[in-house]
Amino acid sequence: MIYSLINTKNKKLYLLDNICHYSWQIMRLYEYQAKDILSRYGIKTPKGVVTDTAEKIEFDETPSVVKAQVLVGGRGKAGGIKFADNNGEIKKTVQYLLSTSIKGEKVKKVLVEERLDIDHEFYLGITLDRDKKMPVALASAYGGMDIEDIAINSPQSIKKKYIDPLFGFWDFNARKIVKDIGIKGNDLIGVTSVLSALYTIFKEYDAELVEINPFVRTVDGRFLAADAKILIDDNSLFRHREFEEQVKMQYSDIELMTKMKNIAYVGLDGDIGIIGNGAGLVMATIDTVNLYGGNPANFCDLGGGASKDRVIDAIDIVFSNKNVKGVFINIMGGITRCDEIAKGIIEYKNTKRIDIPFVIRMVGTREDEGRKICESNGIPVISTMDEAAKMIVRLVRDNTYN
Amino acid sequence: MIYSLINTKNKKLYLLDNICHYSWQIMRLYEYQAKDILSRYGIKTPKGVVTDTAEKIEFDETPSVVKAQVLVGGRGKAGGIKFADNNGEIKKTVQYLLSTSIKGEKVKKVLVEERLDIDHEFYLGITLDRDKKMPVALASAYGGMDIEDIAINSPQSIKKKYIDPLFGFWDFNARKIVKDIGIKGNDLIGVTSVLSALYTIFKEYDAELVEINPFVRTVDGRFLAADAKILIDDNSLFRHREFEEQVKMQYSDIELMTKMKNIAYVGLDGDIGIIGNGAGLVMATIDTVNLYGGNPANFCDLGGGASKDRVIDAIDIVFSNKNVKGVFINIMGGITRCDEIAKGIIEYKNTKRIDIPFVIRMVGTREDEGRKICESNGIPVISTMDEAAKMIVRLVRDNTYN
Amino acid sequence: MMINKDVKVVVQGITGNQGRFHTNIMRRYGTQIVAGVSPGKGGENLDDVPVFDTVEEAVNDTNANASIIFVPAQYCKSSIFESIEMNLNPVVVITEGIPVHDTMDAVWYANLKKIRIIGPNTPGVIIPSQKIKIGIMPDHVFKPGNIGIVSRSGTLMYEIAANLSEKGLGQSVCIGKGGDPITGLSITEILKFFEQDNDTKAVVMVGEIGGNEEEDASVLIKEMEKPVVAYIAGKNVPPGRRMGHAGAIIGGSSGGGTAENKIKVLSSVGVKIAASPKDVTDLLEEVI
Amino acid sequence: MMINKDVKVVVQGITGNQGRFHTNIMRRYGTQIVAGVSPGKGGENLDDVPVFDTVEEAVNDTNANASIIFVPAQYCKSSIFESIEMNLNPVVVITEGIPVHDTMDAVWYANLKKIRIIGPNTPGVIIPSQKIKIGIMPDHVFKPGNIGIVSRSGTLMYEIAANLSEKGLGQSVCIGKGGDPITGLSITEILKFFEQDNDTKAVVMVGEIGGNEEEDASVLIKEMEKPVVAYIAGKNVPPGRRMGHAGAIIGGSSGGGTAENKIKVLSSVGVKIAASPKDVTDLLEEVI
C-alpha cells in the first residue's frame, strides 16, 4: 500500500500489502520482530511481552492491549487487537487470540503491551520508489489510519524526502520533513533521530519498507512506535540468515516447494495448465490462450536455465491442480536449453501416466536437439505460439465435450 | 612508523610509533585487543589467552609464545616476547613478564598463544595518508621485520592502493595488491577478504592505522594474524566509549590532567615557562625566547577560548616543573578573550605566592579589558612578543645570577 | 551508437557454467570476447580466452571496453562496481536475484560515472547486422534489419524477434531492459537511443504489467518521429498478484501498472497495441 | 575572488556561546550574517538574526551563500555536509577536535561538489578592505593593503598581521588554513589564489612543523611571480614530539616535516625565511 504514496497524484496503487504474504519476493516481519529491531536502533517502543501460550504470562503494565501477531493486513478490523484491564483478562484474551485465525492466518504468537495514553498519532516510514530508483522518507501528521487512506483523504499531509542512495539520509534531511509535519523545538531533534534510524534499518536489513504507524506522542510528551512494519527483500536473505527459517513459514507448502525449486507458480481459475520460461513469455502465453477462447489454470514460470528436474517438478505442480485438462509448455530457449526441457518432459512421460493433452512448443538454444528428443518419443513439437495455443484450446475443448 | 611508507621516495618519516604512547591525539590498543577486534571481523588469529596473573593459567596449545602486552614499540628486542614448551614454563614466563617493565612500561597483562609453524611472513595494513587526505592499503611480502625497515631495505616490496573515502575499498581493490605480493589462486580470495576486513575495521573504529605484521602463512597453508596493531583517533572516542577508561590509563597523571582540561603540555629542558594560546603561537614564542638566548622549560598551549580556570590550571602545571625560573604568558586573542586570561592570572596571583618573574603580553579580543585588569592589579602588560621575550630572558638571567 | 563494432568484451564470472557456455556462443556469433575475470583463476586460459583475477588486469592487458556479468547474485554488486570503476561501457548484467538495494547503489554509481548498465536480469543486447551480441539470447532468431526492440522480458523478446525475422522484418538493435524492479537503462532511455539511431526505422516495445515505465515512456513517444508498436503482457492476470518477475506486480483499484492502463496511456500517444506477440508483425507492416 | 563582497553568511551553531559571540563581532565588523542554524531553535531571533532548523530553510529564506560552523565536533560532519548539499561556498569550519575520518569524508565530498572548505580548526578568512570576515580573528589587528597571508596557526596569523599593520603593511586577504592534520583548502591552493588575485602583491606563508604542505607548496612557489616570505614555527622543538596541533607532528631521522627541512626546501625555491614573527615585516619590505 505504501507504494501508493509515492505517486498519489497519479493514483498509482500497488497493492503490495495484499500480496506480500504470499509474494515471491518480499518477506514481512511480525510486529514484535520489527519492534525488536527498532528498539535495538534506539527507537522507543511500548513495554511488552510476546508469547505463544497463555499459561505463564505475567504482565504488570495494565491496562494493556493484546495483539495477534499475523502477517495479513487489516488485523485491527478483523478482530486481531483486543484490550485487557488486568492479568486475568490478559490471559483470557491471549488464549482466545491464540485459538483463532485472522483472515485465514492462524495466530501463533500474541504481543501484550502497555496501553498508551495517546495525544497524537503520526506516520513515519522509509520505502523504495522503484520508478525513481531511490529510497524515499515519508512522514505525516495523520497517522493511525491505513496510509493508503491518508493518501486518498489528505495527500497533502504526506511529506516526502527522496534519498540519493550514494549520499545517504542525513539528520538534516530527516529534520526537514519531520518539521513539515509540525514537530518543533526539542521534539524535532528526537523525532529526527527516529527517522534517521529508520533509514539505517532500511539499509542494514535490505528493506523494501520500514514503517512506524502510528508513531504516537503520548499525553505526557513521549514519542513511541505503537506499531511497526518491516518488509525485507527476499533476494537479500543471504545477508540475513536469521530469517531463513521464518521465510519458509510464510509460504504455503506448494509455494515453498516451488520457491525452493526456483519455479514461480500462481493458480488461476481455468483448466489449461501453462508452463513456460520467463514471466513475460508465460503471461503472453496466457494472453494468447485466452485470445483463442481457452482458460488458463495457472501461471508457471520455469525461470532461466531450467534443468530437467525442474521441468518434472513444474509438471507435477501443474497437475496437482485437479481442474487441469491439458498442458501447454512454451519454451523460448536462451539461457534455457531446449534439450534439457525435452529430457524433463520425456522423463516425466516415461515415469508417470499422462492421460490428458500435452502441447509442446520450443524454439531457440538447442532447439533441434530438443525437438529430436521429443519427436523420437512420440511427442510432436509445434513451431509457433499461436498454432500451439490454438491446438491446446481445441484439444481441451474436444476432451471436455467427449 | 607507518607514515614512512607513504612517501618512501622522499624519505619522509614521521616517528609516530615513538610518540603515540604519550601523544595527544592517537590511542593505541594492546595486541590482544586488536586481535579480538580482528577475529570479530572474521580474521583468523592464533589460539590464545590473555591474563593478568600466572596463578590459574591453563593453556594446552604448546609449544607456546608468551607476549608482554605493552604499548611501547620494539617489544621483541626489549625482551617482551618469550617461548614456553609446557604448562610449567608458561606459568613461570607469565610470572616473570608480569614482574617486569618493557622500556619503562610496566607489564600489566600477558598474552599466551600457540606457537605457529611459519612458512612465510607478510605485512598487511591500512593507514591514513594525511598529505593525500585519503586512506591507503599497504601490503608486502616482507613482513615480520619493522615496516620502516622494509621501507628502507626493499621499498619496492611495499604495494600500495589509495582509497577514495567516498567510494570505499572493494574486494577487487584489495585483490589487486594482495596479488602484487605474490598470493594466488584460492589463497587470493581468502587474503583479499582479510585486507577488506581491515578497511572495515579502519572505518568503524576511526583508526589511524590497522596493521597485521606479521601476517603469516603456516606450513600447513593457513593464514593468521600473528601480531596486530590498531591506533585510534582520540577525537573519535565519543563514538567508541568502550575505550574511555583505557585511554586514561595510557597517559601519565600530568598528561591526563592537562588533557582533561584541554591544555596541551610538553616538558622541555630549559628554565622559562611558556604559556600561550594556539600551538603555532606557543612554538613561535619558544623560538623567539631561544632567539634572545633563553631556554624554554615547556610547551603549554591553552587552546582556543580558555576560561580563567584553565589559565589557573596551566600556570599550576608549568610551576610543577621545579626548573622553572620565570614565566612568559603570550596571548593573541581571537576566540580567546584577554579579559578571561587576565582574570585567571590575577586569581592565581591572589591565591598563590608568585616569587619568580612573570611577563605578560596580550593583544586581540577584549585586549583593553584584559590589560586593565592586569594593570589595576599591578601586573604590567607588554605589547609585542619580541619585547616580552627579551624581558623574560633578562629577568630570568638576572634572577639566576643574583 | 549503443555499442561500437569494435567493442571488446570482458566476461565476469567466465568460469561458471553459464559464463563459459555463453562465452563460446557469443564468440561463435561474432562478438570479440577478449578476457574473462574470475578471482583466484587468473593466469588460466578457458577455451582460448585469458582469465584474470581482476577487471583492471583484464583491461590493461586486452583493452576491453565493455562487460557482461554472470557472477552469482551475492557477489554481483562488487562486480558491477568493478566494471564501472574501469569505465567499461556498457555493463550488461545477466544475473538474476540481485538484492534490490545492491542494484540501486550500482545504478546510481553508474549514473555518476556516466556508464550504462543494461539489466540486471536481462538477456542483453544484440546487433544482428554487426554479428555482435552481449547477452544470452538465441541469436539465430534475430536477423539484420531496421526494427529496434526494447523488452522487459527476455523470452518474449526472442518470441517477437523470431516472428519478425520470419516475416522478413530484421532488427537493428534489440535490448532486454531487464526483468528486475530496478534496472539500469530505462525504456525511455532506450527509446531515446532508437529515435536517434540511423539504422532504426521503427520500434517495438515489449512491456508487461507492473511498474510505470511504459506509462512514463509515453511522454517521450509523443515527441518521437519513429513509429512505436507495443505488446503488453499480462492482460489476463488477475489484479493483486505477482507473476515471477519482481517487476511484474500489478495494481489494484486505481489502474496504475495494469495492462489495461498501460494500453490506454500508450494508445493515447499513438502507439499501436498488439493483441498477441504474433500481431506485432502485422502492426509493424502497417506503420513502416 | 575567494569571497565575493556580496557574501551572505549563515552561522551553523549560532545559539552556542562562541557562535553567538562571534556572530555579533562579525556583524559589527561588516559581514552580512543573514541567518543562523540551530536544530530545534528554528523561528527564534538571536540578536536580530533569524534562526532556522535547517540550512535549507535558511538558504530559501535569506539567499545565504556561505557558511561558518561553530557546531560541536561530534555533530560537525553532518553540518559540513548540510552546507555542501546547499552549495554554500566557502564553508568555514571553526570547530576543533573533529574526528579525522569525518573531516576526510567531508573534504572529499566538498571536492566532488566543487565547494571550498576552509579549516577545520581555522580562525577563518578576513578581507580588511571589504570589512568582511568569516571567522574569529581579532579584526582590529588587520588593515587593508596588498599582502596576502596564509597560516596554519590562528594566533600566529594574528601576531604577524599585527606586526605588518603596525608597519603600514596592510593585508588583501588572510586565510587560516586550519590546524588539523587534514583540512579543506591546502597551502598550495591558497597560494594559487593569491598568485591570481589582483589585490595581492606579496604573500606571507606561516607554517609549522609536521606534515609536508610547506614542502609541497614549494613546487608552486617556484613558478609564482609574486614574492613569498615564510615563517616556520617549531625550530626549537625536539624531534619526536607533538605540539598541541594534531598537524604538528615532527619527523625524526630523515628530516621530513621538521622546521629545518621546510626551511631548506622553501629557501631553495627563493622564499625568504623569517627568523621570528617580527622578522617577517623586514623581509617583506625587502621584496616589495
Side-chain angles (χ1 to χ4, degrees), chain A residues 3 6 126-131 133-136 202 207-209, chain C residues 100-101 104 182:
Chain A
Y3 288 105
I6 293 164
I126 313 274
T127 188
L128 209 55
D129 184 338
R130 293 173 169 217
D131 290 326
K133 307 178 188 183
M134 65 204 299
V136 57
F202 179 78
E208 299 255 345
L209 171 71
Chain C
V100 67
H101 281 252
M104 183 169 64
I182 291 182

Side-chain angles (χ1 to χ4, degrees), chain B residues 260-328:
Chain B
M260 303 277 287
K261 296 179 190 300
N262 273 314
I263 298 165
Y265 176 92
V266 179
L268 301 173
D269 298 329
D271 52 9
I272 298 176
I274 307 283
I275 296 173
N277 63 322
L281 183 70
V282 179
M283 287 191 288
T285 308
I286 291 172
D287 291 346
T288 306
V289 166
N290 257 285
L291 199 65
Y292 293 113
N295 288 311
N298 67 274
F299 166 101
C300 180
D301 176 12
L302 294 168
S307 64
K308 74 173 166 50
D309 291 339
R310 204 193 292 171
V311 175
I312 293 168
D313 290 329
I315 304 175
D316 245 351
I317 292 161
V318 168
F319 278 155
S320 72
N321 173 356
K322 294 306 164 202
N323 294 333
V324 170
K325 299 204 170 63
V327 174
F328 176 7

Side-chain angles (χ1 to χ4, degrees), chain D residues 110-159:
Chain D
N111 288 344
L112 189 73
K113 296 282 180 177
K114 313 250 179 278
I115 299 292
R116 292 185 299 269
I117 291 180
I118 298 176
N121 193 7
T122 177
V125 53
I126 185 167
I127 308 174
S129 66
Q130 313 249 2
K131 289 283 180 192
I132 292 173
K133 71 164 177 171
I134 310 179
I136 58 170
M137 58 283 281
D139 46 68
H140 70 277
V141 307
F142 296 86
K143 304 288 176 222
N146 50 32
I147 308 296
I149 302 180
V150 50
S151 176
R152 280 178 62 187
S153 155
T155 45
L156 206 41
M157 175 168 95
Y158 318 157
E159 176 74 38

Side-chain angles (χ1 to χ4, degrees), chain B residues 14 19 131 133 207 233 277 333 361, chain D residues 100-101 108 138 159 184 212 240:
Chain B
Y14 297 77
I19 63 158
D131 290 327
K133 307 179 188 183
D233 174 13
N277 63 322
R361 183 263 183 154
Chain D
V100 68
H101 281 252
W108 280 74
E159 176 74 38
N212 292 286

Side-chain angles (χ1 to χ4, degrees), chain A residues 274-287 299-302:
Chain A
I274 306 284
I275 297 174
N277 63 322
L281 184 69
V282 179
M283 287 193 286
T285 308
I286 291 172
D287 292 345
F299 166 101
C300 179
D301 176 12
L302 293 168

Side-chain angles (χ1 to χ4, degrees), chain A residues 11-16 19 22-26 128 130-135 164-166 202-203 206-208 233 235-236 238-239 264 266-268 277-281 283-284 286-288 290-291 299 304-305 332-335 337 361 363-367 385-386, chain C residues 18 21-22 74 94 96-102 104-105 107-109 112 136 138 140-141 153 155-156 158-159 162 181-184 186 208-209 211-212 216 231-238 240-246 248-249 251-254 256 275-278:
Chain A
K11 294 265 185 252
K12 292 172 186 169
L13 286 175
Y14 297 77
L15 293 181
L16 189 59
I19 64 159
Y22 48 87
S23 120
W24 291 97
Q25 300 284 348
I26 297 174
L128 209 55
R130 293 173 169 217
D131 290 326
K132 288 200 160 58
K133 307 178 188 183
M134 65 204 299
D164 176 340
L166 300 182
F202 179 78
K203 286 299 276 184
D206 281 286
E208 299 255 345
D233 175 13
N235 284 337
S236 76
F238 67 89
R239 287 197 281 249
V266 179
L268 301 173
N277 63 322
L281 184 69
M283 287 193 286
I286 291 172
D287 292 345
T288 306
N290 257 287
L291 199 64
F299 166 101
M332 249 293 159
I335 205 157
R337 306 184 202 177
R361 183 264 184 153
V363 182
T365 308
R366 303 228 168 148
E367 170 182 339
M385 195 200 299
D386 270 65
Chain C
Q18 297 290 354
F21 182 76
H22 284 285
Q74 292 99 299
I94 305 299
E96 54 180 316
I98 300 175
V100 67
H101 281 252
D102 290 1
M104 183 169 64
D105 292 351
V107 166
W108 280 75
Y109 188 61
L112 189 72
I136 58 170
H140 70 278
V141 306
S153 155
T155 46
L156 205 41
Y158 317 157
E159 176 73 38
I182 291 182
T183 60
S186 66
E208 61 186 27
I209 51 170
N212 292 286
D216 292 347
Y231 172 72
I232 305 294
K235 276 189 294 289
N236 293 286
V237 163
R241 291 299 179 95
R242 185 193 281 229
M243 302 288 136
H245 271 193
I249 313 174
S253 51
S254 307
S276 73
K278 189 169 162 282

Side-chain angles (χ1 to χ4, degrees), chain B residues 11-14 19 25 130-131 133 202-203 207 233 235 239 266 277 281 287 290 332-333 335 361 386, chain D residues 18 99-102 105 108 138 155 158-159 181 183-184 211-212 231 234-236 240-242 251 254 278:
Chain B
K11 294 265 184 253
K12 292 171 184 169
L13 286 174
Y14 297 77
I19 63 158
Q25 299 285 346
R130 293 173 170 217
D131 290 327
K133 307 179 188 183
F202 179 79
K203 287 299 278 185
D233 174 13
N235 284 337
R239 287 196 281 251
V266 179
N277 63 322
L281 183 70
D287 291 346
N290 257 285
M332 248 294 159
I335 205 159
R361 183 263 183 154
D386 270 65
Chain D
Q18 296 291 355
V100 68
H101 281 252
D102 289 0
D105 291 350
W108 280 74
T155 45
Y158 318 157
E159 176 74 38
T183 60
N212 292 286
Y231 172 71
K235 277 189 293 290
N236 294 286
R241 293 298 180 93
R242 185 194 281 230
S254 305
K278 188 168 164 280

